[in-house]
Amino acid sequence: MTTPDADGLLAEQLLRLTRRVHRIQKHHLEQRDLGITPAQSRLLRTLAHWGSPPRMADLAERLEVVPRAVTTLVDGLEASGKVRRVPDPANRRVIRIELTDDGRGALRELRAARRSAAEEILAPLAEDQRATLGGLLDTLIDGEPVRRC
């Protein structure tokens, strides 16, 4: 069992790693000159997981933000041609948000930037260390051990 001081050290290490990950991802995004903020990136990634265009309220709920925050993000992405507002075919009062071709291209670039950032962060680790880290992260994320084959 770990001591409270050891737990505090682990918590600090996790926070420092999280900040480093964000900083490196931001750097890789800036290098690609996409003009997309991290929050807009998160919205695009979330939008890509929907089978059909979601409502703004659905996006706000999934992102765990207030609807006004989604409106601001969508406004910026719409102005740059990454998303568009479309009427709901069943209820014209409802507006849905869909990715454009430019938005799908931006997502490909975002994924490449995230992969580059991950490669930079993981570079010091050997393959067996990466596997161990992956297992530990799965446990922390899911709250239970995940067996890897």
Side-chain angles (χ1 to χ4, degrees):
M1 179 171 269
T2 59
T3 65
D5 289 336
D7 288 343
L9 176 60
L10 283 173
E12 181 60 29
Q13 287 174 306
L14 285 171
L15 290 172
R16 288 175 52 209
L17 177 60
T18 300
R19 286 191 296 266
R20 182 167 184 247
V21 167
H22 286 286
R23 188 173 54 252
I24 290 172
Q25 283 184 344
K26 184 178 177 187
H27 173 73
H28 282 267
L29 281 175
E30 288 169 352
Q31 282 183 321
R32 292 174 185 271
D33 198 29
L34 294 173
I36 295 175
T37 67
Q40 289 173 330
S41 168
R42 185 170 173 236
L43 186 139
L44 286 174
R45 289 191 321 270
T46 301
L47 193 54
H49 287 95
W50 247 283
S52 61
R55 298 173 308 133
M56 299 270 266
D58 298 329
L59 283 169
E61 184 178 324
R62 178 77 55 93
L63 293 169
E64 298 178 346
V65 299
V66 297
R68 178 68 190 131
V70 171
T71 300
T72 301
L73 293 172
V74 168
D75 287 347
L77 288 168
E78 187 176 38
S80 67
K82 307 287 189 284
V83 301
R84 70 178 145 250
R85 289 173 166 93
V86 294
D88 184 305
N91 183 348
R92 293 186 55 103
R93 293 176 297 170
V94 174
I95 299 296
R96 296 192 174 267
I97 308 302
E98 69 179 9
L99 281 171
T100 63
D101 288 340
D102 282 349
R104 283 185 276 285
L107 269 172
R108 284 189 294 277
E109 287 293 317
L110 289 167
R111 287 183 186 119
R114 289 177 67 137
R115 178 171 283 282
S116 295
E119 288 170 4
E120 181 178 333
I121 290 164
L122 297 173
L125 299 180
E127 197 61 39
D128 62 328
Q129 291 173 310
R130 289 179 186 210
T132 299
L133 177 62
L136 293 169
L137 290 173
D138 282 343
T139 300
L140 294 174
I141 292 165
D142 299 334
E144 58 184 88
V146 176
R147 303 238 185 251
R148 291 183 180 235
C149 297

